[in-house]
Amino acid sequence: MDLCQLCTHHDAMGGYLCPGCTKATVVRLECLPALYDGLLPFLAPSSAIGQGRSGKGGHAPLPVREDILDLRAPGGIVGVAEGWLAAVRKERGMRPLAPAGSVEGRLNAAVSGLLANLPWIAVSWEQAGLFAGEIRALARDVQSIVAPAVDTVRGTRIGTCPAVHDDGGVCGAVLRLGHGETVVRCDWCSTAWPPATWAQLKAWQDEDQAAAA
Ligand SMILES: [Zn+2]
Ligand SMILES: [Zn+2]
């Protein structure tokens, strides 16, 4: 076995996942809780978007999106993570864990468990490619809802920076999400926009656009 199961490049380490894909899987796993949180404003737009910067709410309520409801349900993001952790623990002869507590707490626990086992997964588990592929697909699914499609060459244009400066003016610099990066950073004012803030980011951009029109 010297081909990575995820990218099919030669892997000098001789494991199931190459170092690059292992690292990418770590990043995707670490992002899952933030992506889970990031879905909330899209689920209930009327209550979660449009508050904060200007204090004025007032977006019309939209119908609940069932795809988002499914991703946030116990069988969604958390179910996928717990399912893979259970498979790993079984394979390694560890006793099964009984999921307990809130979905957020369960997701954090499952992600921690998978991260702790990732070195073993990458080197020794023949299901590593299947696992890493499903985590990649899951992260993409959620990201496609909370952020625009990724332009792998130039980075994805994420509209303009809505940060408000001390003088009350809006920054307005073009934001890009670099290929493989998970945090949007403004080159001009250095404001960082991690995935959990993307829904709010979009809402403020829409507000600025409406104000400019
Ligand atoms: Zn690879
Ligand atoms: Zn800025």
Side-chain angles (χ1 to χ4, degrees):
M1 171 62 60
D2 52 9
L3 290 185
C4 170
Q5 287 185 345
L6 193 62
C7 67
T8 70
H9 286 161
H10 178 75
D11 175 15
M13 310 288 282
Y16 290 98
L17 291 176
C18 71
C21 286
T22 303
K23 200 168 161 237
T25 304
V26 168
V27 171
R28 290 183 190 118
L29 284 169
E30 286 174 343
C31 279
L32 287 182
L35 287 173
Y36 176 87
D37 290 344
L39 283 175
L40 186 59
F42 291 89
L43 187 59
S46 57
S47 64
I49 293 185
Q51 282 153 25
R53 191 178 57 156
S54 66
K56 63 178 193 295
H59 287 249
L62 297 171
V64 164
R65 285 185 54 177
E66 280 186 19
D67 54 340
I68 298 176
L69 209 54
D70 289 346
L71 280 165
R72 286 182 55 90
I77 299 174
V78 71
V80 172
E82 283 176 346
W84 280 111
L85 181 59
V88 167
R89 291 181 66 89
K90 190 170 175 223
E91 180 74 20
R92 303 193 75 181
M94 295 185 262
R95 68 187 167 75
L97 295 173
S102 65
V103 174
E104 285 91 342
R106 283 169 52 187
L107 179 59
N108 283 326
V111 165
S112 303
L114 287 170
L115 287 171
N117 283 286
L118 202 59
W120 173 84
I121 292 173
V123 175
S124 312
W125 200 28
E126 58 195 15
Q127 303 234 52
L130 211 59
F131 158 72
E134 199 171 316
I135 296 299
R136 180 173 62 186
L138 179 65
R140 264 188 200 156
D141 277 358
V142 182
Q143 241 152 9
S144 70
I145 295 171
V146 302
V150 173
D151 176 335
T152 52
V153 181
R154 295 168 51 217
T156 304
R157 226 190 112 134
I158 314 275
T160 56
C161 179
V164 175
H165 293 173
D166 290 344
D167 65 3
V170 173
C171 172
V174 171
L175 295 174
R176 282 183 192 282
L177 181 65
H179 181 41
E181 286 173 16
T182 54
V183 176
V184 178
R185 222 173 289 276
C186 176
D187 288 338
W188 184 252
C189 73
S190 315
T191 304
W193 304 95
T197 66
W198 288 351
Q200 184 64 73
L201 177 62
K202 177 82 172 66
W204 281 341
Q205 287 173 340
D206 290 347
E207 248 176 53
D208 291 340
Q209 234 164 32

